[in-house]
Amino acid sequence: MSNPTPHGAPQGRLAGKVSLITGAAQGIGEATALKFATEGAIVIVCDINPTGIEAVVQQCRALGAEAEGHVMDVTDRATIDAVVAKVQERHGRIDVLVNNAGITQDARLVKMTEEQFDRVIDINLRGVFHCSQAVAPGMIERNSGVILNASSVVGLYGNFGQTNYAAAKFGLIGFTKTWSRELGPKGVRVNAVAPGFIATPILNAMPEKVLDGMKARIPMGRLGKPAEIANVYAFLASDEASYINGEVIEVSGGISL
C-alpha cells in the first residue's frame, strides 16, 4: 500500500514507536491509529479494506506522523508474516502491536451455525494468536515491546446471543495472562482492554430500542466513543505504563457496577 513519509524527530508519548494496529480502517482501530499519530508513533495501518487503509494513512500523515498501510487478513498467517517481515526490514523493529481486528456474528446457542462460530473464533481469537506469534520473536530479541489485546466486557460477563464472541474475548484474557507471564521476563508487556458498548460501525445493525437499552444500563448514560478506548491503548503502549503487565482494563462507563 502506502510508502512512509519522512518527518523530523517525532514528539509525544509514543515518539518513534513502530506501532502495528490491526482492524485500523474504522471504529476503534481508526481512532487508535489517529491517537498514536498524535503521540508521535510510526503508525502501521493494517486491515482488509484498502480504501479505508489509505484514508487512515492520509489522516495520520496530516497529523504529522509517519504512516504506512498494508492489506492484511488476520486469518492468513502467510500474509501476516510477510507484512511483519516488511515492516521490520523497513523500520528495524515493531515496538507495539494492537490486536484490534474483530467481528460479530450473533445468534443464540440453539441457532448459531458452525460457520458463524468458526468465523468469529478465526478472526477474534486465532487472528490474535497469529499476529502476536509473528511479532513476539523480534520483541524478545530486543528485550522490549508491548502487545495489546482487544477484549470486551462481553469477555468478562458474557452476553445474550454472543457465544462465539464471548468465547473469543474470554480467550483473549487467557492469552493476556499467559503471555504476560511468558514474555514479561523478556521485557515485553502484554495487557488487554475490555471496552463496553462503544459507538462504532459494529453497532450500526442494532435497532434503536436495543441501543437505548444499552445506554440505560450504563451509569454514565451514554455509549463510549472510539477515542476513549484509543486513549487507554496509547497510555498502555507508552512508557508511562512501564510497570503494568497482565492486566485487563475495563473501559465501559461503569456498566458492570
Side-chain angles (χ1 to χ4, degrees):
M1 287 293 296
S2 310
N3 292 320
T5 301
H7 290 277
Q11 303 293 322
R13 290 188 296 176
L14 302 178
K17 289 187 182 292
V18 181
S19 303
L20 191 156
I21 304 165
T22 69
Q26 66 175 8
I28 293 172
E30 177 183 7
T32 301
L34 298 180
K35 176 62 176 178
F36 278 41
T38 66
E39 294 288 355
I42 298 170
V43 185
I44 314 299
V45 178
C46 296
D47 203 284
I48 59 172
N49 178 358
T51 303
I53 291 170
E54 188 61 30
V56 174
V57 167
Q58 293 305 324
Q59 290 180 76
C60 289
R61 290 178 177 172
L63 292 168
E66 183 175 341
E68 64 187 70
H70 297 274
V71 175
M72 190 177 82
D73 182 342
V74 298
T75 68
D76 183 346
R77 181 57 182 265
T79 299
I80 294 167
D81 287 342
V83 169
V84 168
K86 187 178 295 184
V87 172
Q88 289 177 333
E89 180 180 3
R90 180 173 288 164
H91 300 285
R93 66 197 188 280
I94 294 173
D95 297 303
V96 181
L97 169 65
V98 181
N99 284 306
N100 171 75
I103 64 166
T104 58
Q105 292 197 358
D106 297 349
R108 289 180 295 118
L109 172 63
V110 295
K111 296 289 188 180
M112 184 171 289
T113 66
E114 287 188 34
E115 290 76 17
Q116 287 175 311
F117 183 84
D118 290 345
R119 184 65 175 158
V120 169
I121 295 298
D122 282 347
I123 293 173
N124 296 15
L125 187 64
R126 189 175 284 114
V128 173
F129 167 78
H130 285 315
C131 293
S132 300
Q133 193 177 59
V135 305
M139 291 180 173
I140 292 169
E141 184 178 345
R142 295 186 310 279
N143 198 44
S144 175
V146 177
I147 295 174
L148 301 175
N149 296 326
S151 185
S152 168
V153 291
V154 175
L156 295 170
Y157 314 111
N159 197 35
F160 187 95
Q162 291 194 307
T163 293
N164 46 10
Y165 190 76
K169 297 304 184 180
F170 269 105
L172 292 186
I173 293 172
F175 283 179
T176 300
K177 298 295 185 181
T178 300
W179 298 346
S180 63
R181 289 178 180 270
E182 293 180 357
L183 303 180
K186 309 295 185 181
V188 181
R189 296 187 294 108
V190 186
N191 290 292
V193 174
F197 296 120
I198 310 300
T200 67
I202 208 169
L203 296 183
N204 287 346
M206 291 191 177
E208 193 65 31
K209 183 178 180 180
V210 174
L211 293 176
D212 288 342
M214 289 179 178
K215 295 173 187 176
R217 294 168 55 194
I218 302 168
M220 294 182 70
R222 64 172 176 86
L223 301 179
K225 302 172 185 177
E228 292 174 313
I229 307 303
N231 290 340
V232 179
Y233 280 136
F235 166 67
L236 289 173
S238 77
D239 293 340
E240 293 177 358
S242 57
Y243 202 52
I244 300 177
N245 186 41
E247 293 302 318
V248 182
I249 298 181
E250 182 179 331
V251 187
S252 69
I255 195 171
S256 61
L257 296 174

